[in-house]
Amino acid sequence: LAKTTQPISMDSYEGQEVNITCSHNNIATNDYITWYQQFPSQGPRFIIQGYKTKVTNEVASLFIPADRKSSTLSLPRVSLSDTAVYYCLVGGPRGNQFYFGTGTSLTVIP
Amino acid sequence: GAGVSQSPSNKVTEKGKDVELRCDPISGHTALYWYRQSLGQGLEFLIYFQGNSAPDKSGLPSDRFSAERTGGSVSTLTIQRTQQEDSAVYLCASKIPGLLYDTQYFGPGTRLTVL
């Protein structure tokens, strides 16, 4: 079971780009990397998923180097509503993605 | 509804009592997960169901915890002889495994308080 390591917390000002890096040294060949966002009193929700290189959607970008031992979630021009906890998971399509870890608590400052 | 639902939303119980928490997954989702989240902490995996396969119970913290999934749909998490350290939010998630983007869809959780 691939475990992940993330910074516990980060602060950013509104309008800045935020990059959160996750380490997953034991990632397996078939594992994907998935990021979730969790607001207080809510369950986590999916942000983005990737296998290698770069993935971009309307919310974020995900950068994955060639060795796949880490990944970086990039949030462009954050706003106060992006204040949340961000979790990085690794796992395969069989469904065994369930190590959320402690996540990164992002606080966006006005 | 289209999402994962959980009941009750809040449960207060006395130490030593048994509790049952319910999860209704999204229709058609064959994979179901239970997690526990203590105040200010990350998610702790408890148990995973996939179709008719034997569940992965590797995350259950003690034999006081058990879960069932009837008919491949609704799941019940049971905690026997509750302790104060069981106080947490219990989250359920479901998904369709094997898809390229295998997103877990989470319910709102059940907040359990053991007095």
Side-chain angles (χ1 to χ4, degrees):
Chain A
L1 182 62
K3 293 196 173 182
T4 60
T5 303
Q6 305 173 232
I8 293 176
S9 64
M10 295 180 69
D11 293 338
S12 176
Y13 288 102
E14 275 190 294
Q16 290 189 330
E17 178 184 79
V18 171
N19 296 309
I20 305 174
T21 297
C22 177
S23 297
H24 29 79
N25 293 318
N26 296 325
I27 190 169
T29 302
N30 293 331
D31 285 346
Y32 286 87
I33 300 157
T34 311
W35 286 78
Y36 286 80
Q37 175 190 56
Q38 185 180 27
F39 296 113
S41 301
Q42 296 184 24
R45 67 172 189 173
F46 172 89
I47 301 176
I48 197 166
Q49 183 180 78
Y51 183 80
K52 61 181 179 180
T53 63
K54 177 184 176 182
V55 178
T56 297
N57 62 22
E58 66 279 4
V59 176
S61 294
L62 179 59
F63 298 92
I64 306 168
D67 65 4
R68 304 199 327 120
K69 294 184 182 299
S70 67
S71 59
T72 299
L73 175 73
S74 181
L75 305 172
R77 300 179 297 282
V78 293
S79 64
L80 297 178
S81 62
D82 292 317
T83 294
V85 178
Y86 293 82
Y87 295 95
C88 155
L89 280 78
V90 295
R94 291 186 296 109
N96 58 338
Q97 284 190 348
F98 37 67
Y99 181 76
F100 275 77
T102 55
T104 298
S105 178
L106 172 66
T107 301
V108 180
I109 306 166
Chain B
V4 177
S5 60
Q6 293 185 245
S7 60
S9 56
N10 283 284
K11 176 70 176 180
V12 180
T13 189
E14 294 179 347
K15 178 181 175 180
K17 296 285 182 67
D18 298 350
V19 295
E20 286 190 352
L21 312 179
R22 177 186 169 105
C23 171
D24 285 84
I26 294 172
S27 177
H29 282 197
T30 58
L32 187 147
Y33 305 74
W34 281 99
Y35 296 89
R36 176 170 71 176
Q37 188 169 34
S38 301
L39 185 63
Q41 301 298 310
L43 278 74
E44 176 188 2
F45 165 74
L46 297 177
I47 190 169
Y48 165 60
F49 294 90
Q50 168 46 38
N52 296 321
S53 302
D56 181 339
K57 303 180 181 180
S58 60
L60 294 178
S62 76
D63 58 7
R64 295 187 296 105
F65 288 73
S66 63
E68 293 184 342
R69 189 176 186 194
T70 55
S73 180
V74 172
S75 178
T76 302
L77 177 69
T78 301
I79 309 173
Q80 296 178 313
R81 304 180 302 282
T82 53
Q83 303 294 313
Q84 289 183 333
E85 59 263 30
D86 298 334
S87 295
V89 175
Y90 290 80
L91 290 159
C92 171
S94 71
K95 75 173 190 179
I96 301 175
L99 297 181
L100 181 61
Y101 294 102
D102 49 353
T103 305
Q104 292 184 45
Y105 294 85
F106 282 83
T110 293
R111 182 175 298 278
L112 174 65
T113 302
V114 182
L115 301 177

